[in-house]
């Protein structure tokens, strides 16, 4: 079986991976398409520490191939989008509707793959840069069969994270002002989340002027190539500022750009040991700094919702897919993603 493996030194497309059959409460999925997310690249460059060897990839759509004992909500042949949340479903956090906070869904990599008889780790409980993967049943969310699997692949990470951060974490309201720093895959989804929420002024900032057209298509009312002009557009500051790059200096600028009662939402991923600073006195007017994991999502609810919004033409997915690459062209997809030439590269099998 083909797949993309990182051994701690290099990334290889291999053809000798094996994946076990699903056990009780598990599902095996034949992967049709998988988005190349910045988090995958962050494992390779060391920003996200992870045990190796590991099969990369965590954003996909595919077809259920087999189910284990006790699985009833999906069946072989169903089209699914996968969530990275292997939450238990029974703890206090899951019961409160906060599966992103389930401790069994954080930092417990499984090893359903083998290569040369040796176990290989699973990234983000999914590892979808492979022809097949095995996940917990709770991670498989059925989607309508009439939704193309290539754009549907992007729901499970980029859309859940970006749109979810707006609707679930920040709870942007009608008439609010929104500042989005960075218009890559996550930033574009923050923009369309703000549009769906009814934000009145949506300011996108990206150093690459070529990204303006896409930013406006997804919902930006204004586009800047630096933070210098933000105060001209938002004289009193932003109600919500989303940092989607992962640089501490931009986190500071997001905080400084807030209006009274404003909130800065951190979505970019800086190095694990990075520290950011801010002026404490600036926070006393009810300002907030919010971390956000996976858009504070409830995948079984949210993926189905976003799939339906796509069918209605209200959520953009096709426009997110900059280019598709057969799995053998992973190196080219990686180079294009690292250079910022694509919003989202999608690997196909």
């Amino acid at each position: 079986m083909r797949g993309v493996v990182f051994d701690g030194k290099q990334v290889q497309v291999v053809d000798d991976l094996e994946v076990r059959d699903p056990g009780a409460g598990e599902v095996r999925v034949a992967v049709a398409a998988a988005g190349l997310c910045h988090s995958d690249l962050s494992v390779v460059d060391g920003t996200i520490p992870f045990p190796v060897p590991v099969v990369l990839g965590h954003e996909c759509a595919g077809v259920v191939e087999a189910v284990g004992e006790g699985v009833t909500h999906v069946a072989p042949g169903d089209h699914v989008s996968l969530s990275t949340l292997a939450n238990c479903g029974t703890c206090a956090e899951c019961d409160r509707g906060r599966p992103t906070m389930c401790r069994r869904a954080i930092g417990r990599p499984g090893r359903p793959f083998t290569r040369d008889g040796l176990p290989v780790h699973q990234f983000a409980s999914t590892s979808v840069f492979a022809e097949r993967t095995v996940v917990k049943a709770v991670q498989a969310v059925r989607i309508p069969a009439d939704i193309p699997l290539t754009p549907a692949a992007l729901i499970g990470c980029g859309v859940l994270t970006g749109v979810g951060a707006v609707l679930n974490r920040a709870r942007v309201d009608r008439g609010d002002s929104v500042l989005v720093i960075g218009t890559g895959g996550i930033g574009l989804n923050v923009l369309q989340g703000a549009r769906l929420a009814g934000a009145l002024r949506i300011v996108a900032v990206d150093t690459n002027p070529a990204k303006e057209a896409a930013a406006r298509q997804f919902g930006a009312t204004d586009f800047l190539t630096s933070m210098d002009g933000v105060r001209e557009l938002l004289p009193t500051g932003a109600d919500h500022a989303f940092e989607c790059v992962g640089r501490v200096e931009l986190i500071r600028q997001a905080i400084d750009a807030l209006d009274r009662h404003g909130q800065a939402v951190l979505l970019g991923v800086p190095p694990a040991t990075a520290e950011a600073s801010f002026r404490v006195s600036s926070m006393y007017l009810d300002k907030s700094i919010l971390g956000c994991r996976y858009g504070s999502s409830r995948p079984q609810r949210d993926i189905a919702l976003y799939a339906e919004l796509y069918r209605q033409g209200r959520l953009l997915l096709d426009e997110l897919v900059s280019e598709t690459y057969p799995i053998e062209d992973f190196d080219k997809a990686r180079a294009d993603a690292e250079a910022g030439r694509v919003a989202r590269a999608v690997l196909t099998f």
Side-chain angles (χ1 to χ4, degrees):
M1 180 179 78
R2 293 172 298 166
V4 177
V5 176
F6 175 55
D7 64 5
K9 296 181 180 179
Q10 62 178 345
V11 182
Q12 299 181 71
V13 179
V14 304
D15 60 7
D16 56 352
L17 268 181
E18 296 184 7
V19 66
R20 62 172 172 77
D21 291 334
E26 294 181 331
V27 175
R28 188 173 68 221
V29 175
V31 177
L36 176 54
C37 177
H38 185 73
S39 295
D40 300 304
L41 303 178
S42 294
V43 173
V44 177
D45 67 22
T47 301
I48 297 178
F50 206 86
V52 293
V54 57
V55 179
L56 297 173
H58 63 284
E59 180 182 73
C60 96
V63 180
V64 174
E65 193 173 74
V67 300
E69 181 182 355
V71 178
T72 59
H73 75 289
V74 293
D78 284 347
H79 289 199
V80 291
S81 175
L82 296 189
S83 155
T84 66
L85 290 182
N87 58 297
C88 70
T90 59
C91 70
E93 298 294 352
C94 288
D95 192 51
R96 292 187 184 107
R98 299 191 301 208
T100 56
M101 295 296 103
C102 174
R103 283 168 170 79
R104 295 195 179 186
I106 301 174
R108 294 171 178 257
R111 292 192 290 183
F113 302 97
T114 56
R115 187 179 179 219
D116 295 329
L118 300 175
V120 179
H121 289 282
Q122 186 175 40
F123 178 55
S125 301
T126 43
S127 285
V128 296
F129 292 170
E131 291 183 85
R132 295 173 182 82
T133 191
V134 170
V135 298
K136 290 184 65 173
V138 71
Q139 297 175 249
V141 183
R142 186 168 54 194
I143 58 175
D146 60 351
I147 295 180
L149 290 172
T150 296
L154 305 185
I155 298 177
C157 179
V159 175
L160 278 180
T161 299
V163 177
V166 174
L167 302 182
N168 301 326
R169 186 66 169 129
R171 298 186 180 275
V172 173
D173 201 358
R174 296 181 302 277
D176 284 353
S177 60
V178 172
L179 171 65
V180 181
I181 304 173
T183 60
I186 298 300
L188 290 177
N189 278 297
V190 172
L191 289 171
Q192 70 171 333
R195 170 176 53 80
L196 288 167
L200 186 63
R201 199 78 184 262
I202 306 173
V203 180
V205 179
D206 198 292
T207 57
N208 185 352
K211 293 185 176 182
E212 179 174 0
R216 290 186 180 276
Q217 182 181 25
F218 276 76
T221 59
D222 304 271
F223 183 89
L224 299 170
T225 55
S226 77
M227 291 288 290
D228 294 340
V230 170
R231 283 291 178 176
E232 294 181 14
L233 297 174
L234 303 172
T236 62
D239 294 316
H240 312 273
F242 295 83
E243 200 282 338
C244 305
V245 180
R247 289 170 50 187
V248 294
E249 64 271 26
L250 295 178
I251 291 173
R252 172 59 185 267
Q253 291 180 26
I255 296 168
D256 289 345
L258 294 176
D259 195 358
R260 298 182 179 191
H261 69 74
Q263 50 188 13
V265 183
L266 311 186
L267 295 176
V269 182
T273 57
E275 297 182 0
S277 64
F278 59 92
R279 187 176 294 110
V280 176
S281 61
S282 71
M283 301 300 294
Y284 289 120
L285 293 173
D286 287 356
K287 298 181 184 181
S288 305
I289 302 171
L290 305 180
C292 184
R293 181 170 189 254
Y294 204 41
S296 301
S297 297
R298 287 183 279 174
Q300 288 290 337
R301 178 201 67 171
D302 290 350
I303 288 177
L305 169 64
Y306 299 151
E308 185 57 34
L309 287 173
Y310 168 75
R311 293 174 84 188
Q312 294 179 11
R314 297 166 63 190
L315 184 85
L316 305 182
L317 291 180
D318 301 281
E319 295 81 358
L320 283 170
V321 181
S322 300
E323 190 168 347
T324 59
Y325 306 76
I327 186 64
E328 292 81 8
D329 288 345
F330 175 81
D331 287 341
K332 184 177 187 304
R334 175 186 172 188
D336 287 348
E338 289 178 330
R341 290 189 287 268
V342 293
R344 210 51 143 206
V346 177
L347 303 175
T348 58
F349 295 83

